Amino acid sequence: RDVSLANIIVTFDGSVKILDFGVAKAITRRSRTRTGSVKGKVQYMSPEQARGDALDARSDVFALGIVLFELTTGTRMYGKKDDIAIMHQVVYEGLPTPSSRRDDYPPELEAIVLKALARDPADRYASAQALQQAIEEYASAAQLTLSSIQLASYLRDLYGEPSDRRVALLGA
């Protein structure tokens, strides 16, 4: 229930992990734990989570769809909208498409993102693994390499050789 860009950690060996140390909660104060309240970051909530419905893995797939949207467009899904406006949009309105943010957005990748962001959970990928498989198939067809070795090299190019810094926070 708390997948977000701020909770994705990339280690200098090229491993990617989803973690929650409560740091994002302390920073944004958008998580609530009281009974009957919403838990999670509003900017990454699925429609069913925003409504308070029962959740399954497809809610996390929706959140990963937002992360993928943001990473591949270089823009935030909702801009600077407040929590109420975001919840209303995710439950009742349409979401922006990646191609509305980038004219050169690949249609095949957009189809993957939009399936992950489907309002109805039945129309989404059934699991994060199914989403990963779709991304890997797209990458292969587009002749893109998905490699932890290349990711580690990219991080070294960005940050230099690791010393005391062992991870890069994608949301930082």
Side-chain angles (χ1 to χ4, degrees):
R1 293 185 302 175
D2 207 15
V3 173
S4 70
L5 196 58
N7 290 349
I8 298 177
I9 308 296
V10 181
T11 65
F12 277 94
D13 69 356
S15 298
V16 179
K17 303 182 184 295
I18 297 178
L19 305 170
D20 182 8
F21 297 113
V23 173
K25 179 179 174 181
I27 292 170
T28 65
R29 297 287 183 214
R30 291 187 180 202
S31 295
R32 307 282 184 242
T33 56
R34 295 184 310 269
T35 303
S37 296
V38 174
K39 179 174 172 52
K41 291 174 201 65
V42 172
Q43 304 95 322
Y44 295 91
M45 282 186 182
S46 64
E48 60 273 20
Q49 188 174 2
R51 287 189 304 263
D53 296 346
L55 304 178
D56 61 21
R58 295 171 297 182
S59 185
D60 287 338
V61 167
F62 188 91
L64 286 169
I66 293 174
V67 168
L68 186 57
F69 176 101
E70 293 180 345
L71 287 174
T72 58
T73 66
T75 66
R76 293 289 186 180
M77 173 74 80
Y78 303 106
K80 295 184 182 226
K81 290 185 177 182
D82 64 46
D83 289 354
I84 299 299
I86 291 170
M87 289 178 83
H88 187 271
Q89 183 173 355
V90 76
V91 173
Y92 300 110
E93 300 172 17
L95 298 175
T97 61
S99 60
S100 71
R101 303 286 175 86
R102 288 192 50 186
D103 292 335
D104 61 342
Y105 203 88
E108 301 84 3
L109 182 56
E110 184 168 63
I112 293 168
V113 172
L114 294 179
K115 181 171 180 170
L117 294 174
R119 185 180 318 269
D120 184 343
D123 294 333
R124 283 183 219 140
Y125 294 99
S127 66
Q129 186 176 22
L131 173 58
Q132 178 183 354
Q133 183 175 353
I135 292 168
E136 288 178 359
E137 289 170 1
Y138 163 73
S140 177
Q143 297 182 336
L144 301 171
T145 303
L146 302 179
S147 160
S148 59
I149 293 170
Q150 285 186 328
L151 181 55
S153 177
Y154 176 71
L155 289 174
R156 284 192 300 278
D157 289 347
L158 279 178
Y159 300 108
E161 288 298 322
S163 55
D164 291 337
R165 294 181 66 141
R166 296 288 177 212
V167 296
L169 300 174
L170 288 180

